[in-house]
Amino acid sequence: MNVLFTDSAVSGEAASLGLGLVMMGSCHEATLKGVLDYAKETKHEKIIRMLSVGMGLIMFGRKQQADSMIALLIEEEDPLLRLGAVHVITMAYCGTGDNGAIRKLLHLAVSDVKDDVRRAAVTGLGFILLRSPEQVPRMVELLSESFNPHVRVGAALALGIACAGSGSKPAIAILEPMLKDSVDFVVEGASIALAFILIQQNETYEPKVAEVRKRFATIIETKNSEGVSKFGAAIAQGIIDAGGRNVTIGLTTNDGQLNAPACAGMLVFTQFWYWFPLAHFLSLSFTPTALIAINKNLKAPNLDVTCVSRKALYTYPPNVEQPVVQAPTKIATAVLSTTKARRGKKSVADEPMSARSEEAEPVRESESMDVDDVDTKSAQKKARKAGSDSFAVSNIARLLPFQEKHMKWPAGARYVPVKQGRISGVLVVKDTMPGEPEDLVQSMLPDDLVGEEESVDVAMPEPFEYPFDADSA
């Protein structure tokens, strides 16, 4: 708070965001009153804008407790304070699907005179409906065709946030035309939203992946593309391949509870509109997708879990192939048509009559063609399909969220999870045959490196006194 009250634009902006992150979900009345009073006094738009985000974070998950502050902020003349009302609604009712909160955001989205407020209001719909993403495409379909480009980009981000990692076909159908929008920041928002939706999807599961990736590359490589569009496509390429394609965007936990750090990171990420380095906060929303089973000694035993589905649906997308530069080829020498005709007449005149008659008769190839046996091909296809109906997933492997419903723990297995019904994440397993020797997953590090790490003894640093007086001077 002391840094905030220095009234410095840059440090005050950072202090406002830090205050919201530290006191997230606390609903501390004294802090909220002090923040609101200072937002009305200061003249720095950066500070007021970030205080509006901070107030939303402080009210995270408070629902009806935030109604009094929402009613106060929504009537303010300053559009930056009305922006605070939008963030408070978004965070207080995040993941609830509350009809009252949705009505307030829709009213602000179509009636407010400030574009920033309208864009944030539409984006907030994605946060409120993140537990029921199937409702969002229908709700924002008309908003995505609005005459106001700020409303259109808000609709794109709402779709991306609510449908993240789902591969929703209705959402993709709305976002694809927006990649060709005439406004550059709408293309930016649509690119980022498509990356949210298609993260960890491959071409077998969603055929649109290859087309969208190619579109991102085209936007980046086109020289006359707007800088904002290129920035959005570059960010989208990073998101769709985030974490080596081993993470997804998880705004909720495996148990269906809200993931508070992930929601905070996503809200701050949307502020890249004002300062692009805030895009790094998206890393808070990434969740590893893996199966890591450990025993009571925190060691990973060798075990297999069965996935009753096709393996091709869950494989890594193919790596991007760099174009091969071919050596220049020698261009054939041009020959005039008159020269070619003269040479042809001369060669025909020189040939004997018997040779010309042999050439006149075309060589008749065998009329019988090699036809594949249809029954054999169908039998092979059935055999391949039968063999790919299930496959084994070894311990310490990537396990996608939409793959979990097809996973089955094998009956009679030596290791069983302590918490039943859980497949992904870090699983503590119980050994049903404790008397027998265990087969553990071996470390991939070379033995000499492991020995060096164990033998190195790092000395503690010497005590010292920091010269605080020098900083104040």
Side-chain angles (χ1 to χ4, degrees):
M1 294 289 285
N2 293 334
V3 177
L4 176 63
F5 293 150
T6 58
D7 207 40
S8 171
V10 177
S11 58
E13 182 183 24
S16 303
L17 178 58
L19 188 66
L21 292 171
V22 170
M23 305 194 68
M24 183 177 179
S26 63
C27 192
H28 195 268
E29 293 185 4
T31 303
L32 288 169
K33 185 178 183 304
V35 164
L36 184 57
D37 292 341
Y38 181 70
K40 294 178 180 179
E41 293 175 5
T42 185
K43 301 300 181 183
H44 295 292
E45 288 190 2
K46 284 186 175 182
I47 297 178
I48 303 173
R49 187 184 297 114
M50 201 53 70
L51 282 174
S52 69
V53 176
M55 287 187 287
L57 293 172
I58 293 173
M59 282 295 187
F60 177 77
R62 289 295 177 168
K63 301 178 185 177
Q64 289 83 3
Q65 295 181 12
D67 287 347
S68 58
M69 172 161 277
I70 293 170
L72 184 65
L73 291 173
I74 211 167
E75 299 296 332
E76 290 286 342
E77 294 183 2
D78 188 349
L80 294 177
L81 292 178
R82 294 201 303 276
L83 184 63
V86 172
H87 292 320
V88 172
I89 296 171
T90 299
M91 288 288 99
Y93 291 94
C94 182
T96 62
D98 185 80
N99 289 328
I102 293 173
R103 277 198 300 269
K104 289 176 183 176
L105 289 180
L106 287 174
H107 177 71
L108 288 169
V110 298
S111 65
D112 201 278
V113 296
K114 187 69 173 177
D115 287 333
D116 288 353
V117 178
R118 301 179 72 174
R119 182 184 64 253
V122 181
T123 304
L125 294 172
F127 285 93
I128 293 176
L129 293 170
L130 62 87
R131 281 197 178 116
S132 50
E134 66 280 353
Q135 298 182 21
V136 181
R138 186 174 64 254
M139 183 173 293
V140 303
E141 185 174 6
L142 292 177
L143 295 174
S144 67
E145 300 173 358
S146 170
F147 70 93
N148 190 323
H150 292 267
V151 174
R152 296 203 297 273
V153 71
L157 290 175
L159 284 169
I161 292 168
C163 304
S166 66
S168 171
K169 294 185 184 298
I172 295 172
I174 295 173
L175 290 170
E176 268 195 305
M178 299 176 76
L179 288 177
K180 301 177 183 177
D181 200 280
S182 58
V183 182
D184 53 359
F185 59 78
V186 177
V187 176
E188 176 190 49
S191 300
I192 293 172
L194 277 171
F196 283 167
I197 294 172
L198 295 176
I199 190 171
Q200 286 198 325
Q201 310 279 331
N202 62 17
E203 296 178 26
T204 307
Y205 195 86
E206 176 49 64
K208 291 286 185 182
V209 172
E211 185 179 340
V212 170
R213 285 178 179 272
K214 190 178 296 184
R215 180 62 181 167
F216 291 161
T218 303
I219 294 173
I220 294 171
E221 294 169 0
T222 304
K223 291 184 178 180
N224 59 352
S225 293
E226 296 292 339
V228 174
S229 301
K230 288 188 176 183
F231 174 78
I235 291 287
Q237 276 192 335
I239 293 170
I240 205 169
D241 292 330
R245 302 165 181 173
N246 294 317
V247 298
T248 189
I249 295 175
L251 300 182
T252 57
T253 63
N254 291 333
D255 300 327
Q257 303 298 320
L258 284 179
N259 187 349
C263 294
M266 183 62 77
L267 177 67
V268 181
F269 167 78
T270 60
Q271 306 305 305
F272 76 88
W273 179 275
Y274 306 104
W275 195 45
F276 72 89
L278 292 175
H280 293 292
F281 272 84
L282 183 64
S283 59
L284 292 174
S285 301
F286 290 143
T287 302
T289 54
L291 166 65
I292 304 174
I294 57 175
N295 58 16
K296 62 179 181 179
N297 300 320
L298 303 183
K299 301 290 184 180
N302 276 316
L303 56 86
D304 291 332
V305 185
T306 304
C307 179
V308 187
S309 183
R310 287 196 299 145
K311 188 175 183 178
L313 296 174
Y314 314 111
T315 56
Y316 285 95
N319 293 326
V320 178
E321 296 182 359
Q322 297 297 331
V324 179
V325 180
Q326 297 181 351
T329 56
K330 186 178 179 180
I331 301 174
T333 306
V335 180
L336 296 177
S337 58
T338 54
T339 305
K340 188 183 293 186
R342 190 163 55 250
R343 289 177 181 174
K345 289 179 181 179
K346 185 178 179 181
S347 61
V348 170
D350 294 342
E351 286 181 2
M353 200 61 150
S354 58
R356 271 182 273 170
S357 61
E358 288 177 2
E359 291 180 1
E361 295 181 4
V363 179
R364 299 184 63 184
E365 297 181 356
S366 175
E367 296 181 358
S368 61
M369 299 175 61
D370 293 335
V371 181
D372 293 334
D373 189 355
V374 179
D375 296 336
T376 305
K377 290 188 71 175
S378 61
Q380 291 176 354
K381 187 175 180 181
K382 289 179 181 180
R384 284 197 302 269
K385 186 175 180 181
S388 60
D389 280 346
S390 64
F391 62 97
V393 177
S394 302
N395 191 13
I396 307 185
R398 187 176 79 147
L399 188 65
L400 304 183
F402 48 87
Q403 185 182 357
E404 293 182 23
K405 59 185 178 182
H406 303 290
M407 300 298 295
K408 287 186 178 180
W409 207 270
R414 175 176 177 177
Y415 298 96
V416 294
V418 173
K419 184 177 181 180
Q420 297 297 325
R422 186 80 178 271
I423 292 293
S424 64
V426 179
L427 294 179
V428 180
V429 293
K430 180 182 178 182
D431 188 0
T432 59
M433 294 180 251
E436 298 184 8
E438 289 187 287
D439 181 18
L440 302 178
V441 177
Q442 299 299 319
S443 173
M444 300 299 292
L445 291 173
D447 296 336
D448 53 348
L449 292 180
V450 176
E452 287 178 7
E453 290 181 0
E454 294 177 354
S455 61
V456 171
D457 187 12
V458 180
M460 293 293 292
E462 297 293 332
F464 66 95
E465 292 185 4
Y466 187 82
F468 292 101
D469 296 336
D471 284 353
S472 60

